[in-house]
Amino acid sequence: MRPRFGLSLIDRYVLRLTTGPMLACLAVTLVALLLERALRLLDLLSQSSDRFGYVVQLTGQLVPHYFGLALPVAFFVALFIVITKLSDGSEIDALLASGFSLTRLAAPFIGLGILLAIVSIIVFGYAQPYSRYAYRAVMHAAATAGWNGQLQAGAFVTDDKLIMTADQADPKGQRLERLFIRRMNPEGREEVITAESADLHVADDGATVTLILRNGRRILQSATGDFSILQFETFTTKAPLAGSSALLRARGGDERELTLGELAERAKSHNSILPRATVLAELYARLARAIFLPFLPLIAFPLGLAAKRGRRAPGLIFAGLLLLAFQHSLQLGQSLAEAGRLPAFAAIGTPLLLFTGFGVWMFAGSRNRPGETP
């Protein structure tokens, strides 16, 4: 039981039990969230000229965001698993009988929570603002990268004054059926083309695509405003493949793109383009998410001990609702602060105080009657 690096044998034992489930839960949650977002990005960028490359970049930039969201969930699930395991094996009963208090048993978990709070500050405070701006920059580049000369069934191409869609398409997106095109010609006049079928051929230089249309109709606006109608069996036209437009604005136009240090500087400055209440609300919300982590063991201990009597599912559901309520209460506080309804410190501090106080109250009750929750 002699301490090593300030940790006793029991401390090292419970931390080793916690680390594995926490990392596994964090990895599974993070991969699931990223895969779901990657599928949505693939669908969103289906007409981009380099959609797979953009999706990889965008997914990589989302890692800090989803890591910060998954961290408290993974930490709590690991705590619940470990405490339940120790309770089922009567190890907690043996430790309590040998003189360990419940507070002493919770100490290594609280210490781990403090360490994770520092990690959360680094992720939410510094890594996420840069990754958020990088995500928006890549999305801007992807959205303005231009059409790649392929068209999927039911998708829309909206590029360079061009709107085009087809009801059906082959897997390559180059043989189309029931095609609709609306565009503005160089003189600024409207042109509408419909065709029963069409073939697309991208030029070798990648600058234009040739459309060979069959059995359709072309409606063109004349200089006088009248419309001429041409019915054709075969009609050939070209469309440009536009390149990327200008870069995204400089970082800092959104409070979520600012680091903690930059938020503190903007809050003191009188020349900031962002409202001071908005800046303070964002600053306090990030700190509140980190401060809440060391209090999670105080909630997990009563629920984990009570789970020995067959109440595991209600405990996990209650904890999930509690974490969800904390997250939404912070968002509500930010909205109230930004709208000027409440001071930023009160809007963010009140839910933090309520939830941390609730955790302390639950833990204090379980110290008097282990295995029962208030």
Side-chain angles (χ1 to χ4, degrees), residues 117-129:
I118 297 174
V119 174
S120 178
I121 289 176
I122 295 173
V123 172
F124 273 117
Y126 295 94
Q128 192 182 104

Side-chain angles (χ1 to χ4, degrees), residues 223-302:
T224 59
D226 299 327
F227 290 89
S228 61
I229 301 175
L230 170 67
Q231 194 155 347
F232 58 84
E233 292 184 0
T234 303
F235 182 79
T236 302
T237 184
K238 291 186 177 182
L241 297 178
S244 180
S245 64
L247 296 177
L248 187 63
R249 53 165 174 78
R251 186 179 65 87
D254 187 334
E255 69 275 4
R256 292 174 295 178
E257 297 173 0
L258 299 174
T259 65
L260 287 177
E262 291 169 341
L263 286 171
E265 291 178 3
R266 294 286 184 94
K268 297 177 183 178
S269 174
H270 298 286
N271 300 321
S272 175
I273 60 175
L274 297 172
R276 186 170 184 271
T278 301
V279 173
L280 286 175
E282 180 68 20
L283 174 64
Y284 295 150
R286 293 189 200 178
L287 294 175
R289 290 185 177 92
I291 293 172
F292 186 59
L293 285 172
F295 289 88
L296 285 178
L298 304 183
I299 301 173
F301 250 94

Side-chain angles (χ1 to χ4, degrees), residues 24-41:
C25 182
L26 185 62
V28 170
T29 306
L30 191 60
V31 169
L33 291 172
L34 289 175
L35 282 177
E36 187 272 338
R37 191 61 178 271
L39 291 175
R40 283 196 288 158
L41 289 172

Side-chain angles (χ1 to χ4, degrees), residues 180-235:
F180 172 85
I181 300 174
R182 179 189 180 274
R183 63 183 177 181
M184 305 299 291
N185 63 16
E187 291 76 25
R189 296 197 295 270
E190 183 181 14
E191 180 184 17
V192 176
I193 303 175
T194 60
E196 183 178 319
S197 63
D199 291 333
L200 306 183
H201 301 283
V202 179
D204 294 336
D205 58 2
T208 60
V209 59
T210 300
L211 296 89
I212 303 176
L213 312 172
R214 301 180 186 87
N215 300 326
R217 181 175 294 181
R218 176 187 184 225
I219 303 174
L220 178 63
Q221 185 181 21
S222 66
T224 59
D226 299 327
F227 290 89
S228 61
I229 301 175
L230 170 67
Q231 194 155 347
F232 58 84
E233 292 184 0
T234 303
F235 182 79

